[in-house]
Amino acid sequence: MHAWRHGAMNPAERVRIRNIMPIRSAPPMKWAHDPNLRKRPRTPAKGRGSVQRAIRRAFAASGTEALTSSAIYDWAHIRRRLGRRKSMPFGVYSRTLRTLRAMCDPIERVPPHGAWLWRLRARWR
């Protein structure tokens, strides 16, 4: 076991090892002058999440201006909604709701169960 790894070394020993070991410099960046990196958008994946795409797809497929949150959940998580479970795994509803709040405007609550009615903002169309 090396003593210098655990800090049990006297100062003279440290100086001797520092003189023996080579000084590491940062390796040159491989892609510094690649022209394609300069054309790359700042946030290439922004707006391309699976829930974001599903929300846009739900509004486009329905052809209506407003959808209920239940209809959007059906579009965003169809395989989970049609499964054997009564409810979806922890965090699925909250993540979808957070994305809905970012992309849509709530209009009103719809009876009988109180689901929200959402309208897609113009920026996301």
Side-chain angles (χ1 to χ4, degrees):
M1 194 175 295
H2 299 286
W4 57 273
R5 283 189 182 168
H6 301 288
M9 178 184 340
N10 63 20
E13 188 71 19
R14 278 196 196 127
V15 171
R16 188 182 71 78
I17 289 179
R18 192 180 320 137
N19 291 336
I20 294 172
M21 297 179 89
I23 298 172
R24 296 180 192 164
S25 62
M29 189 171 161
K30 205 175 191 182
W31 302 97
H33 303 291
D34 190 11
N36 286 335
L37 285 180
R38 284 186 234 131
K39 294 177 184 176
R40 179 179 163 262
R42 257 194 187 152
T43 52
K46 189 173 186 175
R48 296 185 184 177
S50 61
V51 176
Q52 291 169 326
R53 285 182 286 141
I55 290 171
R56 268 189 254 120
R57 192 176 298 131
F59 278 99
S62 69
T64 61
E65 193 174 310
L67 282 176
T68 62
S69 50
S70 301
I72 293 171
Y73 289 139
D74 286 340
W75 272 92
H77 309 289
I78 188 67
R79 289 190 177 150
R80 287 182 173 160
R81 301 269 292 193
L82 294 178
R84 295 180 187 175
R85 290 177 137 189
K86 284 190 172 185
S87 64
M88 288 195 279
F90 178 76
V92 173
Y93 284 113
S94 60
R95 282 183 293 230
T96 308
L97 185 61
R98 183 178 36 206
T99 309
L100 269 172
R101 287 180 180 149
M103 293 178 67
C104 304
D105 293 321
I107 301 171
E108 63 181 349
R109 290 187 78 109
V110 181
H113 302 293
W116 277 98
L117 198 61
W118 298 89
R119 182 183 301 126
L120 193 63
R121 290 186 186 138
R123 176 181 158 217
W124 293 97
R125 290 184 187 159

